[in-house]
Amino acid sequence: MVAEHPGLPASGTGEDGSAIVRVLSYNIRSMRDDRAALARVIQACAPDLVLIQEAPRFFRWRKAAERLARAAGLVYVTGGGTTAGPMILSTLRAHVERTEDVLLPRTPGLHQRGFATAVVRIGRARLGVLSCHLSLADRERYEQAGLLLERLAALETPHAVAGGDLNDRPEGRSFRRVAGALRDGWAAEPWGGEFTSTPLEPRQRIDAVFTTDGVEVLGCGVPHGLPGVREGDLQAASDHLPVLAALRVPAGG
């Protein structure tokens, strides 16, 4: 599904001190695909914050993360090997107050999962940030959805954004658990494309950006047709499509 919508607003700061923040959530499959295409997609989306899943996490993963950040015109904030995959990148527009890497309880026989979290200031707006990649197993995934909400609240910021690969569709109980407490960006203000998996024949939405109350969603979806984003790059960069959201975050906090 593709939503009819004008282009997303550019990043900026309002006279009232509020900030328009562009947030990109992207499962990059450990950068095993076309790295140049990946960097071009990220850069063309012009995000202030990038919430990565499946970042490189083994041998020399920090160097790989730094190369990606540099190629996309960003800086590394936190996560990667220390969170079993989730990572946060940003522009220099974001002032990072603090970060915390979280490893979640692990079910024997299943992959380790974690959250990358940060608190940032952009202009006069203060924002909690969380990148996640939930389990493939239903029971564990549902528990992790609850931990996501707890961890976001523990950041103790007036406004927050979470994004990631939920491994669940909107009708699934884990997705519904998150969307029941937070605002689902696509549902609030659909823009671009809906489905994120897989790039060649997208048929399901398992990646999403969520916000807390008070954050206005100006548009959210897969950046099909965004100037500079080529369909060939979207197909070559990863086995997921990214989700781009433009948010208006009030001043204060």
Side-chain angles (χ1 to χ4, degrees):
M1 177 180 176
V2 177
E4 293 293 334
H5 200 285
L8 286 186
S11 300
T13 303
E15 294 182 359
D16 60 355
S18 65
I20 295 179
V21 181
R22 289 167 70 119
V23 178
L24 185 72
S25 180
Y26 209 165
N27 183 323
I28 64 171
R29 201 164 76 136
S30 299
M31 296 172 62
R32 295 200 301 267
D33 300 290
D34 188 329
R35 297 186 178 189
L38 175 65
R40 287 194 297 268
V41 169
I42 295 174
Q43 192 166 41
C45 289
D48 299 292
L49 299 167
V50 184
L51 312 183
I52 296 287
Q53 301 85 49
E54 291 194 33
R57 57 193 182 95
F58 296 114
F59 184 65
R60 293 182 177 175
W61 67 266
R62 292 184 187 277
K63 289 188 176 180
E66 290 170 1
R67 283 196 297 269
L68 175 61
R70 191 181 310 115
L74 302 167
V75 295
Y76 169 83
V77 175
T78 195
T82 51
T83 57
M87 183 170 73
I88 300 173
L89 307 177
S90 78
T91 63
L92 293 176
R93 185 181 181 223
H95 171 73
V96 181
E97 286 189 4
R98 68 177 191 270
T99 65
E100 183 176 4
D101 295 339
V102 180
L103 289 176
L104 302 179
R106 181 179 181 181
T107 302
L110 298 179
H111 291 298
Q112 178 71 66
R113 303 284 176 174
F115 299 144
T117 73
V119 175
V120 304
R121 285 186 180 271
I122 298 178
R124 289 168 50 197
R126 188 163 178 259
L127 188 66
V129 185
L130 185 150
S131 176
C132 69
H133 188 184
L134 304 189
S135 177
L136 288 166
D138 179 72
R139 181 175 178 179
E140 185 180 54
R141 181 170 60 245
Y142 186 75
E143 293 172 352
Q144 291 171 355
L147 293 173
L148 183 159
L149 298 175
E150 291 178 10
R151 183 59 57 171
L152 206 62
L155 293 176
E156 297 184 334
T157 56
H159 309 292
V161 58
D165 177 355
L166 272 67
N167 273 317
D168 203 18
R169 298 177 180 181
E171 64 271 19
R173 66 176 190 146
S174 297
F175 197 114
R176 287 187 287 109
R177 185 173 193 179
V178 177
L182 304 174
R183 179 178 291 110
D184 174 5
W186 168 265
E189 194 64 36
W191 168 91
E194 177 180 9
F195 301 135
T196 62
S197 177
T198 57
L200 291 177
E201 295 184 0
R203 297 177 178 176
Q204 58 180 348
R205 181 163 74 97
I206 60 175
D207 306 84
V209 171
F210 300 91
T211 71
T212 54
D213 289 340
V215 176
E216 182 183 0
V217 180
L218 304 175
C220 179
V222 177
H224 293 301
L226 189 72
V229 177
R230 291 178 273 182
E231 288 299 312
D233 283 346
L234 287 172
Q235 294 173 7
S238 177
D239 64 343
H240 284 243
L241 293 169
V243 179
L244 177 63
L247 312 174
R248 180 177 283 112
V249 184

